[in-house]
Amino acid sequence: MTDDQIDWDRLRAARRGSTRFFSGSRPATIHERLTALADAVDPDLYPDFYGNGGPVGELEERTAALLGKEDAVFFPTGTMAQQVALRYHAEQLNNRAVALHPLSHIERHERHAHTQLTGLRGLWPTTEQRQPTVEELRALGEPFGTLVVELPLRDPGFLLPTWDELTELVAAARETGARVHFDGARLWNTTAHFGKRLDEIAALADSVYVSYYKDLGGISGAALAGDKAFTAYARTWRHRYGGQIYQQWPAALAALSGLDTALPRLPGYAAHAKTLIPALAALPGARLNPAAPPTHEFQLWLPHPAKALNAAVLALAEQERIWFVPEWTDAAPGLAMAEVSLDRPAQDWTAEEVTELGLRFLELVAAAERGTTTG
């Protein structure tokens, strides 16, 4: 979606005024967020100081336990966290080559921080829009110090390998003496797909990054988890990168709330999504990527211009107070794409309702393409 396609203030008001949500949820005000945190917190709890103690300390302990690692370190951003992890592994092996997918978050959305700040060098096992294979990793033709696996790989459609594919990929990296880092911003929602606990998944990697606002609904923040030598290094470099902020208790409290409330629901989101996905896939001209989504998040493609689709989102919200699938972008000739997240609000929808809603939405799209209004 671009700024000339939609009135952002109008869109925000329409979303706020909606009473039913399909993909995404009603945005909370600052007052609502603070009130919820205040209601949930122990009145005698004190803040953290420079990342020590308080809610931050509790969050680090709980994260380490969930991931089955010796320790975890809170970071204000995932970009900072991942740079520290990659720096550590490169220094341990004296090898600055990193094997990762060209569509990974590190390559596409961090302004090449790994090359500009740390002097690392990316190697691409594949440019295909899928997770790399063992054969491709072995065919790189030069040694690498770290393998990064993004789970799920968001940009091509929240893609996940099978458990066997993942374990074989990790084993192939270890055969060369390389270390393994999981970019697990959304690792929380992979357990249903793999049929494994979080600690079993994280056990495959030397280090794991997780986000507290993706899927968990936190305010901000991330963590690195690993052994104590790794986390001691991470704390040192967090300070050097400017991430040792005086107090971060609001973000930590929101993350703790997410662990308590959102994390237990994620497997249910994936299960219910499987009942709704066929209804979306059956809409005229619709394509899903991947065709069989492994989690509750995936891409929906429709053969209409993004401008008309975004206008229909707004019209549906204003006319019926229903929030469907927002933020469409023109992604290929004749096709627009939006990311779908069937989280908590989507649990209240049936497949039949999704079919009816989708068809009404497409009627509004057709009207927008004709340049007419409906009411």
Side-chain angles (χ1 to χ4, degrees):
M1 183 188 294
T2 60
D3 290 341
D4 63 348
Q5 291 176 340
I6 205 72
D7 182 328
W8 284 97
D9 289 336
R10 186 179 168 193
L11 184 69
R12 191 177 297 111
R15 182 177 180 183
R16 176 81 180 164
S18 295
T19 56
R20 287 198 80 185
F21 293 82
F22 179 66
S23 177
S25 58
R26 180 177 176 269
T29 64
I30 294 173
H31 183 269
E32 288 169 339
R33 291 300 302 263
L34 291 176
T35 299
L37 292 179
D39 289 343
V41 72
D42 182 338
D44 296 322
L45 182 65
Y46 283 91
D48 63 288
F49 292 95
Y50 292 109
N52 296 315
V56 172
E58 180 184 350
L59 180 61
E60 289 176 340
E61 291 177 4
R62 288 187 59 182
T63 301
L66 283 167
L67 298 176
K69 298 298 187 183
E70 289 184 358
D71 194 15
V73 183
F74 183 86
F75 276 79
T77 73
T79 297
M80 184 186 295
Q82 300 223 88
Q83 300 320 305
V84 170
L86 296 183
R87 174 185 287 273
Y88 176 81
H89 297 313
E91 290 182 1
Q92 291 297 302
L93 296 180
N94 194 30
N95 187 325
R96 293 186 175 270
V98 180
L100 75 174
H101 200 287
L103 296 178
S104 68
H105 193 278
I106 290 172
E107 284 280 29
R108 297 199 71 187
H109 302 294
E110 298 181 10
R111 296 200 172 189
H112 303 289
H114 64 295
T115 63
Q116 299 300 308
L117 298 180
T118 312
L120 302 181
R121 182 166 54 91
L123 302 176
W124 299 348
T126 181
T127 57
E128 297 293 325
Q129 294 202 13
R130 55 168 171 72
Q131 295 279 0
T133 66
V134 169
E135 291 74 19
E136 290 165 338
L137 191 65
R138 288 173 174 157
L140 269 174
E142 56 183 302
F144 56 93
T146 310
L147 168 68
V148 176
V149 186
E150 184 177 327
L151 300 170
L153 184 59
R154 176 189 173 178
D155 274 20
F158 302 92
L159 305 180
L160 285 170
T162 66
W163 180 250
D164 286 345
E165 288 170 342
L166 179 59
T167 56
E168 290 168 3
L169 190 66
V170 168
R174 296 203 184 283
E175 287 173 5
T176 69
R179 291 173 176 261
V180 177
H181 172 71
F182 283 172
D183 176 345
R186 295 173 175 81
L187 190 73
W188 311 113
N189 69 31
T190 65
T191 56
H193 169 73
F194 288 132
K196 304 290 182 180
R197 299 186 311 271
L198 282 167
D199 60 325
E200 293 176 297
I201 301 168
L204 296 178
D206 297 287
S207 60
V208 180
Y209 145 65
V210 289
S211 171
Y212 292 122
Y213 69 89
K214 295 169 183 174
D215 291 322
L216 296 187
I219 295 173
S220 62
L224 286 179
D227 63 29
K228 290 187 176 180
F230 170 73
T231 56
Y233 179 98
R235 286 186 170 90
T236 297
W237 279 93
R238 178 182 64 182
H239 195 174
R240 288 172 176 162
Y241 273 110
Q244 192 148 316
I245 298 171
Y246 178 54
Q247 291 185 352
Q248 301 193 78
W249 53 266
L253 286 176
L256 287 167
S257 176
L259 292 180
D260 288 336
T261 59
L263 182 59
R265 297 191 183 111
L266 292 178
Y269 295 170
H272 189 64
K274 294 184 186 303
T275 71
L276 304 182
I277 284 169
L280 281 179
L283 293 176
R287 303 180 191 176
L288 299 187
N289 182 38
T295 75
H296 65 282
E297 296 172 311
F298 52 92
Q299 295 175 350
L300 175 62
W301 295 62
L302 286 172
H304 303 279
K307 184 175 181 178
L309 290 159
N310 287 321
V313 171
L314 181 59
L316 187 64
E318 291 182 334
Q319 294 172 18
E320 300 188 39
R321 302 181 73 183
I322 294 175
W323 191 252
F324 186 45
V325 178
E327 298 190 30
W328 293 86
T329 58
D330 293 309
L335 288 170
M337 183 275 288
E339 292 181 339
V340 180
S341 180
L342 301 182
D343 48 30
R344 187 176 183 181
Q347 307 306 292
D348 297 329
W349 290 83
T350 66
E352 292 75 16
E353 289 176 318
V354 172
T355 297
E356 294 172 3
L357 176 64
L359 293 175
R360 292 204 307 278
F361 175 72
L362 290 176
E363 289 174 0
L364 293 169
V365 173
E369 289 180 289
R370 293 193 302 269
T372 62
T373 59
T374 60

